[in-house]
Amino acid sequence: IIVQNYKAFDQSDSTLFGVVLVLAGLAGCFFFGFILSKWPKFKAIAVLTALFHLISYVAFVVTFTYYQSRMVGCVLFGLIGFFNASVQPIALEFAAEATYPVSETYSVGWMLTSTAILSPIVSTLVGYLMNHTPMYVANLPAVIISFLGFILTLFIKEDLRRLRKDTGKEHG
């Protein structure tokens, strides 16, 4: 998320937005972790968080293109943090469920490796776009990746074999 290149904001605003994003992210991780422990519907929760992350990010891009306010920024960064930070732990847990009986270490390792490969590519692209296009265009790669993640999550089959085995409900 690029903030400092919007003329209405300075370094202190970036710091404030960063703190709001991180604190909301922590709250989201705890909230969705609690929900998953009580209601293990990995796909439903993964789709929900991916959808609301996408909506909050699109709201950020559209809103900051036309209206730049510290209060609106705090609300939008709070929403982005709450849902964005929650996506990764839910996705890692869902990957472990979806790939059972493959070890959790292996499936999570592949996810983290793909993230480590994709991140510098996207960062380089965004850096280029920041210098050559309007700011809303520079934020579009994150919107597009969020959209693709949401769509791909819809196609994942939810088969909770690991959870059934761990709780002793394996039938077959």
Side-chain angles (χ1 to χ4, degrees):
I1 300 173
I2 300 132
V3 174
Q4 279 189 279
N5 289 9
Y6 288 101
K7 291 178 176 46
F9 302 112
D10 60 14
Q11 183 72 31
S12 64
D13 294 319
S14 295
T15 302
L16 173 65
F17 295 154
V19 168
V20 169
L21 186 113
V22 168
L23 292 177
L26 288 170
C29 287
F30 284 118
F31 175 77
F32 287 109
F34 176 78
I35 296 296
L36 274 175
S37 70
K38 299 295 180 191
W39 186 57
K41 298 291 185 186
F42 291 90
K43 182 174 180 175
I45 294 171
V47 167
L48 177 79
T49 56
L51 175 64
F52 281 104
H53 172 252
L54 176 62
I55 290 169
S56 61
Y57 211 109
V58 169
F60 163 77
V61 171
V62 170
T63 302
F64 269 34
T65 299
Y66 302 106
Y67 180 73
Q68 298 167 18
S69 153
R70 182 178 289 148
M71 180 56 76
V72 171
C74 285
V75 170
L76 290 172
F77 278 97
L79 289 171
I80 290 169
F82 188 79
F83 293 107
N84 182 35
S86 304
V87 167
Q88 186 173 16
I90 292 167
L92 294 174
E93 191 68 24
F94 194 20
E97 286 291 337
T99 59
Y100 184 83
V102 173
S103 92
E104 291 179 49
T105 306
Y106 191 73
S107 61
V108 169
W110 273 108
M111 285 192 65
L112 294 175
T113 299
S114 65
T115 301
I117 292 168
L118 186 62
S119 293
I121 294 168
V122 172
S123 296
T124 302
L125 174 63
V126 168
Y128 175 81
L129 291 174
M130 281 176 55
N131 294 323
H132 297 91
T133 64
M135 291 310 304
Y136 72 90
V137 174
N139 280 299
L140 286 180
V143 172
I144 292 167
I145 291 169
S146 297
F147 178 74
L148 290 174
F150 168 70
I151 295 300
L152 291 173
T153 304
L154 292 173
F155 291 102
I156 298 172
K157 180 182 173 190
E158 184 173 46
D159 183 9
L160 306 179
R161 291 178 288 175
R162 180 180 65 113
L163 184 65
R164 283 194 312 264
K165 182 182 179 294
D166 290 347
T167 59
K169 295 180 183 174
E170 187 71 49
H171 300 291

